[in-house]
Amino acid sequence: MYETAFSKDGFIINQGVFTDLPFGKYPSSENGCGWIAAYNYLKLQNKPADMEKIRTQLAHTLFLGGKSGMSVALLSLYLRFFSHCKIGFHIHLPNTAAKLYIPSGILMYHTGKSFHFIVIQRKNKGQYRFLNGIYGEEQDIRTIKNFLKEHCNFPLLFMIY
């Protein structure tokens, strides 16, 4: 049923198909980017990534049933303490984020309508793969600077890496 939600290598790249999969009081298609980012990040780190378990565990942390989505601080704590990832929580300006050279991470940015979590994976020569940034895009590979120029409409970024 959710075949188009996944890339060929098993990452969730199309949040929009999860219209009947709840995350709190709302469908995951609307506010599920937090649990999807956790799933993709854990999978990228070769850690156990059970979609249902992650979604269920993180649903318990939602404020007001998830009206405003997932908290970046709680997502960071979940990855650190429950999934044993050696990560930190960072705040960047788009210009400083564009100069990062990290193997992977979770990026939370403002689209102009709402905040959105995605996972980034370094490919080569400053290029990153963006997972669930453009729904259904299998290989969205470009620089962080180019991605942010097109998608970010807020002066701060929140990152977990």
Side-chain angles (χ1 to χ4, degrees):
M1 176 175 181
Y2 298 128
E3 298 85 26
T4 61
F6 294 89
S7 64
K8 290 181 182 100
D9 52 353
F11 294 100
I12 298 174
I13 58 168
N14 190 354
Q15 174 183 341
V17 302
F18 294 127
T19 56
D20 62 343
L21 190 62
F23 188 52
K25 295 179 181 177
Y26 301 89
S28 290
S29 58
E30 290 179 26
N31 74 341
C33 60
W35 74 259
I36 290 169
Y39 171 85
N40 283 339
Y41 187 76
L42 291 172
K43 185 167 177 49
L44 195 59
Q45 303 305 312
N46 296 314
K47 293 195 176 273
D50 180 302
M51 188 174 105
E52 284 303 311
K53 181 179 177 184
I54 293 167
R55 185 178 63 84
T56 303
Q57 287 175 332
L58 287 175
H60 294 295
T61 70
L62 296 173
F63 180 68
L64 297 175
K67 183 173 181 143
S68 59
M70 180 85 228
S71 159
V72 67
L74 290 174
L75 179 57
S76 178
L77 290 172
Y78 174 81
L79 290 169
R80 180 177 277 226
F81 295 111
F82 289 98
S83 300
H84 309 290
C85 293
K86 294 179 181 173
I87 48 93
F89 171 71
H90 309 272
I91 299 172
H92 289 282
L93 297 169
N95 287 343
T96 60
K99 296 174 186 171
L100 288 175
Y101 192 71
I102 56 174
S104 61
I106 296 175
L107 172 65
M108 182 180 145
Y109 61 97
H110 199 276
T111 66
K113 296 180 181 177
S114 63
F115 283 98
H116 186 57
F117 287 102
I118 61 169
V119 168
I120 60 172
Q121 174 190 23
R122 187 174 64 223
K123 296 311 263 180
N124 57 33
K125 296 181 183 176
Q127 302 281 310
Y128 285 82
R129 180 180 181 195
F130 296 84
L131 300 168
N132 198 41
I134 299 175
Y135 292 174
E137 184 66 37
E138 180 90 22
Q139 294 292 327
D140 182 9
I141 299 174
R142 53 183 140 165
T143 65
I144 294 174
K145 181 179 181 177
N146 287 342
F147 181 86
L148 294 175
K149 186 187 242 184
E150 185 176 334
H151 297 284
C152 183
N153 291 302
F154 194 70
L156 295 175
L157 304 168
F158 305 94
M159 296 187 73
I160 299 170
Y161 59 88

